[in-house]
Amino acid sequence: MNHLSLAVRLALTAGIFAAAGVAQAQVPQADTSSSDQTTPPSKNKAKTLQAVVVTGSLIRRVDAETASPVVTLDRATLTNSGKPVLGDVLQQMPSISGNATNPQNNSNGGGVASPLLEAGDGASRVSLRGLGISRTLVLVNGQRMANPDLNLIPPEMIERVDVLAEGASTVYGSDAIGGVVNFILRKDFKGAQFSLNDGISSHGDAQRRGFNLTAGSTGENYSIAGGLDYNKYDAVLGKRRKFSKQQLYLSSGSVVAAGSSSIPTGRIQLPASIASQYGCPINSSGTANVTLAQGDGSALGDYRCRLASDTYNYAALNYIQTAQKRTNGFILGSYNLTDNLTAFVDAFYNHTVSSGQDAPSPVGTGDGLIISSNNPINPFGVTFSQNPVPGDPNSGYNFQTRLTGAGTRVHSYTTNTGQINTGLRGNFGQDSSWIWDASVNYSHTKRDQRDTNEVDIPALQAAVDGGANIFNQADPSVGAQLRGGVKTPVYIFTQSTKQGQFDASGELWDLPAGTMQLSAGALYRKQSMNYTVSSFAVLDPVTTTCQILQEACGSPGRGSFDVKELYAETLIPLLSEQPWAHSLNLDLGIRTSNYSTTGTTTNGKIAIEWRPTADLLVRGTVSQVFRAPNLNELYDGRTLVQPNLNDPCVGRTAAELAAHPVACQFVPVNWAGNSPAQVNTFYSGATTVGAKLKPEKGKSIDLGLVYDPDWLPGLSTSVDFWHIYLSDTLTAIQADTVVNSCFNNSSSPYCSFIHRQDNTSRTPGQVFLINTPVVNLGNLSTTGIDYTLRYKIPHFDLGSFDPGNFRAGLSTSYTSTYKNDATPGQPGAKTINYAGTLSPQFGNISRWRGTVTLNWDKGNWNAQWQSRYINKLTALNADAAISGVNIPMASVIYHSIQLGYAVPSIHTRFDVGVDNLSNKLPPLVYQNGSNYNVDTATYDVLGRYYWARATIKF
């Protein structure tokens, strides 16, 4: 039915567009083109207008290739992809890897409350060189975004996207370590354009549809363009795909379909005196777990031993694609006030409504629930509570269940983002080469998150105390009683950026090899954030609970900082038109940044551009890079996160435990480990725990060749070697790192972060809490090679047949090393090379990634074939039961095709395409796949996907 519906819509769309086009064709037009056009420059300004600022430099250049290795995605590339949002296009680039947010992997999240969490907000972010989204700077016309979500930017306002995959701190300041993604805006747009798009997967789901309208006008002294864009994506449940319909675990070498140990029939901890009647194996704490087997749970005979196979399939109810609906608007304009003075404005606004979904809530004594021994519904005669109750010797036993009657947890987001950059630019005099630019930039984003069906612990406690038999959730009347104990907490995150900037650039003096140029400027920027949490959802750091489900407890956060910067760059021609030196240029840059939070840092760069011949460029850049702590790393309040912990204290003898008294405090001999393996950790910004941070610093090196041979017109190829090194990296320390550091060194400063249940608990040694704040810790470096080739194949005929025009392109990136020393200088510290691996901390660092593209056009027809390759790699620590077990992951090739046809008589163009043509499935990584068994930051989860678009130009 979905395929038929799509076909009918497309047919109707084609008919409507054809009719509109015919009507349009009957009206005489002075200019029927709506493509970008550039007003010819006046002769006296030709030199100034032809030189433009290129991404990666402050200098205005005429050269297409400079010392900076920039990869450009032009409008044709963006259009041929068929993607309604830009994030889907950018995340497929070979230079992007690691953990990055997209609507496939942020569709749930357990309701964890954090400013960083995007559990359904539909965002897409990028991680150049696999260094993380916080080390990739996203710009719009050279101005940073307060909310660097690529899906916020209306595609129709973009002329091209420049991707610079090297450090650029001297040009752009903080965060430009892995590189820069710079969205260059359209200008001088004439006419109007309207487009409709639709798409659906071969499974009959994941439908998307939308439209955009763009219009503009250009005159002798003005240019204005604006547009509206709308797109909607349907949610897709995990059960719609075989690989994600059930949580898969690799345990002791076997793959089992499992799930959460929080099950509707309960995970009930009992002392050996009671559990022994069921024949349950007794653990080192003298307890065992049972679950409901029959009846209403009022009699001891209704229970049996809980088995490892007693799990709940939460994966089937998670989304593998977020529900999304976006409305965008933009306006771009400029006006020449005089011959030497131009006013300009660039502005856009985005309204996104989205949602993620989780299975019904797991709840138990860890959330503060108490089931008293004298409660009539309790047949066991013991009290279930998080800690022993004073005066009750038979208390402190664990109880965990899942409230299926309360319904799924839905995380709904409403995000509003606006950004405006406006100012004046002009010349210093009529005949001067010097130009200036003064601008103010303001951006603001507000994200309203509402989590429905979160358990209200006091209301649940009242229901249980009032006789609601939580042991017997199969009874509809019990479900109705428990369902009354839910709330909808609200978490609101706002952030803003205010910036003023002045730049000037021009020629200094003439040298024998050419003119020396200088660009300099200054800016002031203030960034602010505020995070609020419903009062009943505020986390108590002592009990690790609040009034609702523990995982949904959060903490307010608020803060700001400002930065003042001075920067300059000069281009010095050293040689020109000499033997073996067609040209030789030296590029020097410096930037001083004074942060109100971390003080002053100064960073510089040196770059060489050497052309031995006119068609060969040898380039090299060495630059210092830095990243100041961002607002979240400084001011985020405590958030409860529950990662899996590989506890080194498991199964130890008495002698071994005595050798590690701090890390393994209260752990019994031959301890079976944490149950569940997911332990409580407190993520927080440094300021929250009274700590101070400093910027992470390092170096970025790039050496490369660009060859455009005269003897083979249409061919351009480049190769670049790159290396990035960072020290004192800003990171939320991992629970594994904390525990292992203390295990290897009892004097480690991180030992105080570990809190275990003491000997008064029913589960001594169990991790109660590990603090994991943001710290300066560790060294990180990565090295690799990029290679690109573009070839416009000379036109040829096959006899009397004209086959059309062909263009081919190849873009690859090879990561040779990706090294991390998590605790440099500490006992047991070691450097691990993560290149060619998948890990929870760094994500997918495949060694080889590449794309091959073949384009064809003839007359009104055009087509594109693209293949995308991700090399095989190794998933680290993939076995849930055996530490250190790694498994191979196969390489993957995705194919996509596009076919377009223009009908000039009706000013209309039709495009159709298929993504993931061979319906390639993602490789399995089991429980390391963030609820889906696969790496959704890297691989496609929807399968073969059909799309169509119709565009009419007025």
Side-chain angles (χ1 to χ4, degrees), residues 114-138:
S114 164
L116 292 177
L117 184 78
E118 297 173 310
D121 72 349
S124 287
R125 308 191 188 278
V126 285
S127 169
L128 282 164
R129 304 296 186 210
L131 292 173
I133 60 177
S134 61
R135 299 188 181 104
T136 297
L137 183 61
V138 179

Side-chain angles (χ1 to χ4, degrees), residues 783-797:
T783 304
I785 297 174
D786 290 345
Y787 177 75
T788 66
L789 182 148
R790 299 184 301 275
Y791 186 38
K792 184 178 181 180
I793 301 171
H795 185 80
F796 60 91
D797 291 328

Side-chain angles (χ1 to χ4, degrees), residues 818-831:
Y818 191 101
K819 296 181 179 180
N820 175 243
D821 183 350
T823 55
Q826 297 190 24
K830 58 182 178 180
T831 298

Side-chain angles (χ1 to χ4, degrees), residues 563-586:
V563 56
K564 307 176 186 72
E565 295 186 298
L566 297 173
Y567 46 88
E569 183 177 349
T570 184
L571 182 69
I572 307 172
L574 301 178
L575 294 173
S576 177
E577 304 295 339
Q578 300 296 317
W580 294 102
H582 179 75
S583 67
L584 177 63
N585 298 326
L586 175 65

Side-chain angles (χ1 to χ4, degrees), residues 30-50:
D31 183 358
T32 59
S33 172
S34 64
S35 60
D36 288 349
Q37 300 185 14
T38 302
T39 303
S42 60
K43 291 183 179 180
N44 64 332
K45 294 188 179 181
K47 183 176 180 180
T48 300
L49 292 177
Q50 289 173 357

Side-chain angles (χ1 to χ4, degrees), residues 186-353:
R186 301 178 81 170
K187 58 183 179 179
D188 301 329
F189 185 91
K190 288 185 177 180
Q193 175 179 294
F194 181 73
S195 178
L196 286 176
N197 67 82
D198 209 332
I200 198 166
S201 79
S202 59
H203 295 264
D205 56 17
Q207 186 180 355
R208 72 185 190 214
R209 55 276 197 195
F211 72 87
N212 65 70
L213 172 65
T214 305
S217 178
T218 299
E220 184 176 345
N221 61 353
Y222 76 93
S223 174
I224 187 168
L228 294 173
D229 182 90
Y230 172 84
N231 60 76
K232 182 179 180 181
Y233 287 67
D234 289 347
V236 181
L237 286 169
K239 64 183 180 182
R240 295 283 299 176
R241 300 296 185 271
K242 289 183 179 180
F243 60 81
S244 59
K245 68 179 183 180
Q246 175 81 44
Q247 181 63 58
L248 301 178
Y249 275 79
L250 177 64
S251 181
S252 300
S254 299
V255 177
V256 294
S260 171
S261 61
S262 296
I263 54 180
T265 52
R267 187 182 76 235
I268 307 166
Q269 184 190 36
L270 296 175
S273 58
I274 301 176
S276 58
Q277 65 180 286
Y278 302 103
C280 303
I282 308 301
N283 61 29
S284 58
S285 300
T287 64
N289 292 326
V290 301
T291 190
L292 183 68
Q294 62 185 14
D296 62 5
S298 60
L300 293 177
D302 292 341
Y303 298 85
R304 61 168 173 81
C305 298
R306 180 192 171 271
L307 307 176
S309 58
D310 289 324
T311 57
Y312 178 80
N313 182 20
Y314 58 83
L317 296 173
N318 290 344
Y319 288 160
I320 58 172
Q321 176 172 279
T322 302
Q324 312 152 60
K325 185 167 61 175
R326 298 181 187 84
T327 305
N328 302 307
F330 71 91
I331 185 167
L332 315 172
S334 64
Y335 184 77
N336 297 333
L337 299 172
T338 69
D339 289 344
N340 296 314
L341 184 63
T342 299
F344 65 90
V345 62
D346 307 325
F348 73 90
Y349 176 80
N350 174 278
H351 174 75
T352 298
V353 177

Side-chain angles (χ1 to χ4, degrees), residues 66-69 166 584-588 605-610 617-623 700-706 719-721:
T66 68
S68 300
E166 70 171 5
L584 177 63
N585 298 326
L586 175 65
D587 189 337
L588 302 174
K605 82 163 183 178
I606 179 170
I608 293 288
E609 303 169 9
W610 172 42
L617 170 65
V618 181
R619 62 190 179 190
T621 302
V622 179
S623 62
S700 172
I701 301 171
D702 186 274
L703 303 172
L705 301 172
V706 182
V719 59
D720 285 276
F721 162 84

